[in-house]
Amino acid sequence: MSDALERFFARAELFMQRVEASLPHSLTAPDWNASIAFRYRRRSGGQGVISPVQHVGAMSLDSLREIDDQKEKIQRNTAQFVRGGLANNVLLTGARGTGKSSLIRACLQTYAPSGLRLIEVDKADLIDLQDIIELIAARPEKFIIFCDDLSFDDGEPGYKALKSVLDGSVAASTPNVLIYATSNRRHLLPEYMSDNLSYKHTEDGEVHPGEGVEEKISLSERFGLWVSFYPFSQDEYLSIVNQWLTALGFDSAAIEAARSEALLWALERGARSGRVAYQFARDYSGRAAS
């Protein structure tokens, strides 16, 4: 074979490798026994990968305070799902740091022995949601697809992909898959003052939203269960501080002595939330140990 022909075949093989790399590939299943939680990520080449989370943060339902109503709704829905009953996709919305994501992680820890698993998907990767669902549809486990801090700007492709999967009533598309999402926005899309101009009023005073507004609320309405979280009062905030300090080994006298510092900490942060209470407890414990 001549050198020119060898170079031609070498270039042709390289070209075919590049073409093959650019073509869509089927999603490869991970070792489902490696963890109870997984992450879906798109690599630079466009290939999606589901990877096990090696260190899943421990969280129990009992450790979450001052959100009893929200906890009861989420736990009931998750229990129905795990035992094979009908359950809803869930949208958790409201104030930052009030336990939305922690509640989902706590449910995972509670029901993992019964076969519950979680796959975290970023909103940028939601365009591959149907591929993920097809991969796990025949698995015996129950899967929560978890989207944290979910919100969309106009025109983002993940919006329509998620909307097409959600049916707004019972399950995502298979009986072993539910979607749980957290967001600070109730309607998941930005809302503008100009949206109010699209509302129409009938002669009898009935109000009808315009098509743009209808589109913005249509995604959130496809979640069967809405759970709202609210800012904590001062007493609720201090109760959570007490719970964390107790868990870190402080006695009642030390906790009472930390009260004023906890309030100052929240004032400086401009928020009273479970996250702020936990951060104060960590700082206070660290200073006490030094």
Side-chain angles (χ1 to χ4, degrees):
M1 184 182 296
S2 67
D3 292 342
L5 194 56
E6 287 182 355
R7 288 195 298 271
F8 170 78
F9 282 118
R11 288 196 298 269
E13 184 177 357
L14 180 60
F15 173 75
M16 292 302 297
Q17 289 174 353
R18 290 176 176 174
V19 170
E20 185 178 356
S22 66
L23 293 175
H25 293 77
S26 59
L27 191 59
T28 302
D31 178 4
W32 295 114
N33 296 318
S35 181
I36 61 173
F38 301 82
R39 289 193 185 97
Y40 177 80
R41 295 289 185 271
R42 270 194 163 211
R43 303 307 185 194
S44 57
Q47 176 68 19
V49 177
I50 298 178
S51 304
V53 176
Q54 299 300 330
H55 304 286
V56 182
M59 180 67 65
S60 69
L61 289 167
D62 290 339
S63 67
L64 300 175
R65 302 292 181 87
E66 308 301 335
I67 54 170
D68 290 342
D69 290 343
Q70 296 90 336
K71 188 192 307 184
E72 190 274 332
K73 292 176 182 177
I74 299 298
Q75 186 175 6
R76 183 185 69 238
N77 191 75
T78 306
Q80 291 171 194
F81 176 52
V82 169
R83 69 170 180 259
L86 298 179
N88 281 296
N89 301 301
V90 183
L91 178 62
L92 301 86
T93 65
R96 302 185 307 272
T98 47
K100 299 186 294 294
S101 301
S102 297
L103 183 50
I104 295 174
R105 293 198 301 270
C107 281
L108 173 64
Q109 294 283 356
T110 300
Y111 295 104
S114 300
L116 184 64
R117 300 293 182 264
L118 180 144
I119 302 175
E120 184 177 4
V121 182
D122 289 339
K123 71 170 184 176
D125 298 324
L126 286 173
I127 56 175
D128 298 330
L129 188 54
Q130 192 61 56
D131 293 334
I132 299 172
I133 292 174
E134 289 178 2
L135 178 69
I136 61 180
R139 294 290 308 176
E141 302 90 350
K142 302 291 186 179
F143 288 90
I144 287 175
I145 294 180
F146 175 43
C147 305
D148 194 22
D149 197 18
L150 184 64
S151 64
F152 295 100
D153 293 324
D154 291 329
E156 286 195 76
Y159 171 83
K160 291 192 178 298
L162 179 58
K163 185 177 177 180
S164 68
V165 168
L166 291 168
D167 66 5
S169 58
V170 178
S173 62
T174 63
N176 71 327
V177 178
L178 284 180
I179 295 175
Y180 282 22
T182 69
S183 179
N184 296 327
R185 289 179 183 169
R186 182 65 176 266
H187 291 152
L188 301 178
L189 281 169
E191 299 177 70
Y192 306 104
M193 289 294 294
S194 59
D195 293 338
N196 296 324
L197 302 178
S198 67
Y199 278 86
K200 299 176 182 178
H201 300 263
T202 62
E203 293 181 358
D204 58 1
E206 187 177 1
V207 179
H208 296 280
E211 291 182 359
V213 176
E214 288 279 12
E215 174 67 16
K216 290 186 176 184
I217 66 178
S218 64
L219 178 60
S220 57
E221 285 189 339
R222 292 184 179 224
F223 287 90
L225 179 61
W226 290 1
V227 181
S228 299
F229 292 70
Y230 306 98
F232 292 133
S233 67
Q234 178 172 298
D235 288 342
E236 289 170 336
Y237 166 73
L238 289 174
S239 173
I240 298 171
V241 169
N242 293 351
Q243 181 256 325
W244 282 118
L245 289 177
T246 299
L248 292 172
F250 290 89
D251 59 25
S252 57
I255 292 174
E256 181 62 29
R259 176 187 174 93
S260 60
E261 289 189 51
L263 292 174
L264 180 60
W265 180 276
L267 182 63
E268 291 174 343
R269 297 296 296 270
R272 291 191 296 258
S273 70
R275 180 181 297 135
V276 171
Y278 176 64
Q279 291 166 346
F280 167 76
R282 286 176 60 88
D283 178 78
Y284 188 82
S285 179
R287 287 187 283 114
S290 61

